[in-house]
Amino acid sequence: MSLPSHVEIVIVGGGIAGCSTAYHLAKLGKRDVLLLEQGKLTCGTTWHAAGLIGQIRPNRNMTSMSKYGIELYSTLEAETGLATGWKQCGSVNVARTPERMKVFKKQVALARSFGVDVEEISAQQAGEIYPLMRTDDLQGAIWIPGDGKANPADLTMSLAKGARNGGVRIVEDTEVIDVIIERGRAVGVRTANGDVRCEVVVNCGGQWARQFGRLAGVNVPLYSAEHFYVVTGAIAGAHPMLPVMRDPDGFIYYKEEVGGLVMGGFEPKAKPWKVDPIPSTFRFELLGEDWDQFEILMTNAIHRTPCLETAEIKMLLNGPESFTPDGNFILGEAPELRNYFVCAGFNSAGIANSGGAGRLIAEWIVGGEASSDLWDVDIRRFGGFTGNRKALSVRTAETLGLHYAMRWPRQELETARPLRTSPLYDLLAAKNAEFGSKNGWERANYFKPEGAATPEFGLGKPGWLDWMIAEQQATREAVAVYDQTSFSKLLLQGRDALNVLQRLCANEIDVPVNKMVYSAMLNGRGGFESDLTIIRLAAENFLIVTGSAQTVRDADWIGRNIAPSEHAMLTDVTGLYSVLSIMGPNARQLLARVSPDDLSPEALKFSWTKEIDLGFARVRAARMSYVGGPGFELYVPVEMTRHVYLALLQAGADLGLREAGYYALDALRIEQGRRAWGAELGPDETPWEAGLGYAVKIDKATDFIGKAALLKAQGQPLRKKLVTLVFDSGEPFAWGGEAIVLNGETVGEISSVGWSPRVGACVGLGYVRGDGANVRHDGTPACVELWGDAVPVKLYDQWPNKP
């Protein structure tokens, strides 16, 4: 079949993600769209997917996406005339342990807040809903009546027909072998049947998305693993409306199919499919049976549904599916290449997620930016290093295994570590640091006493709490040193650097040399694309300091907003400088012992910086404290960091100097009311809602992105408002994400929470919505849903007791 020489949009990949993207582009009026599939539609992984479709997701936007997907699937057959196999049979999730049941209770509270119909039920009720199941060892369950199942291949064909009805052209048996790139933009694709020029390329390549991305220099970090399920013969009691059932403590799921059961799961130690590259000829193919790998799932399934012990096993299906390093799928425009979008890496949930994900990527393509906060799935959360195939292989074995495993608060992924380390890593490890990982960086979470073991995970007060409190007290009462080397650091230079930042930033950036400015970077809706600190090093040189996870995202946002005619060069200098934060009332006295420079408040005012001697080194000192109170940030050339750190330790022994980690840092910034991007701040939150109007200069001479939206919203009722929550009692320990209940109504959720030694209880931050967003809170009684219990708290617009 001949191909057109030019179209507006080319979609590569004809699985459910590609067909959903095509369908939604057509719905948005994009008709000049070509979908290319190397084999036949669904021939990669879609055809053998299990087809479970649920709504429970960890946050509001992802839940909205999954709810939309179900609405789409339930009406698609009527629209296109092609059957989808959609059945709203509901789903029941069962809990074997008290801890799992507590997690379910939290999910119920949040899901209801997000508009999902969900009910906590007893083990007996679960058995009535799913009679094939043994229930004598269950703690309880949850019932989601709106969930369902579909036939993946039929569903995809129905989406494809809807796309064709909207004008999309779909061509099978056409492998894309290269991407045509000009001036940093994707402008076409190359196939064996000729080139097709276009304005946009969309990589919906499924498990081929990583190797296809590499053709264009785009990192799509995913890796295939073998995924198993059995198909049984007929089983008495298995009928078409039998609900989907999940037993995460047994790592297993079930759905009815043709009078029997499909039973699969996610074994704790998964089996990566070590084939690289994956042949383009791998179509409608499966891998060999592996009963040893499947044994733990089969054993648990026979326990949960004894009928499987005597049921006919028609086949053990082994079909590879792709998984990502953090278990979330990948969406968005590639930071390496303009007009190249990705929608892939669905971690065995492509059928459930693709309906909504197809709409989201279509809206992104047409609108020029994401329509809502999609940070959890944004491709820019990954640095280039995440494309390492050895790391992807070992991480996939872990992330697949955690799909149903009990995920404890503050539990860290363990594989492919350590990778990115501070010059102080070995020194901190020798002082019993317990490390966490952020964007590949090893960071000290807390420090254990000599000989202490790492505490077990749990849902109550953690075993490390007393150690963290000691670090907090050192910060508030003496002095503490925090290694914050993982901060992202970007250098913007050139005669137009100031103009670029003035246009991107809501605050005034035209400040004297050595001044530090905190500012929002906003999108067109007035939401936070980032919050960052900028140091003016010289008239045309600016050091931009932002969160550890945001390196790629912020560099991409800044870079795409530099006009071709502007002379401004952005360089990632994260690896060139360490940051040591010296916090506490003795911070200035400590620095005076190692530096001859005057660091008094008169000589170095708050939010100002200057270069100083420290030991034998030259460093930039900034009077700044993320945790509140007195403090300094030291920007140290990476090769001098060990020297500076050791000089500080030697000089501070009698001042109460103590190493401190990120758990203490986070809890102290919450106590102080400091916001964090990705928690309190994101593309859906405005400065007015976040209480950060002071960081906006709405009347500055230069227009900035988001200004029009802020002016329009100014003085209008707030959709939501950030408040401080102070727990009434020191007994409960919250972890974040708990539902906030005001006047009997769920109005939001906790975005961040930590322990405050100042009050001997937890203090949190969170948004309240509706009427509660437009009244003053000065100790308003409320409660949070903590593992199913209503825990009293007080709400404050401005907490009067913060340090």
Side-chain angles (χ1 to χ4, degrees), residues 515-538:
K515 185 75 170 68
M516 175 183 276
V517 179
Y518 171 77
S519 181
M521 286 197 307
L522 305 176
N523 54 40
R525 306 190 311 275
F528 282 84
E529 282 300 313
S530 185
D531 76 319
L532 38 75
T533 299
I534 299 171
I535 303 172
R536 190 168 196 174
L537 301 176

Side-chain angles (χ1 to χ4, degrees), residues 420-437:
R420 307 175 78 186
T421 58
S422 154
L424 305 182
Y425 176 77
D426 293 340
L427 294 175
L428 300 182
K431 290 179 174 288
N432 299 313
E434 187 72 23
F435 290 95
S437 179

Side-chain angles (χ1 to χ4, degrees), residues 20-54:
S20 178
T21 300
Y23 172 89
H24 287 95
L25 283 169
K27 288 292 184 182
L28 293 174
K30 294 295 182 181
R31 299 180 177 277
D32 192 16
V33 178
L34 174 67
L35 186 152
L36 298 174
E37 162 55 45
Q38 64 187 5
K40 302 295 184 184
L41 296 185
T42 79
C43 73
T45 59
T46 297
W47 72 276
H48 62 68
L52 281 59
I53 301 170

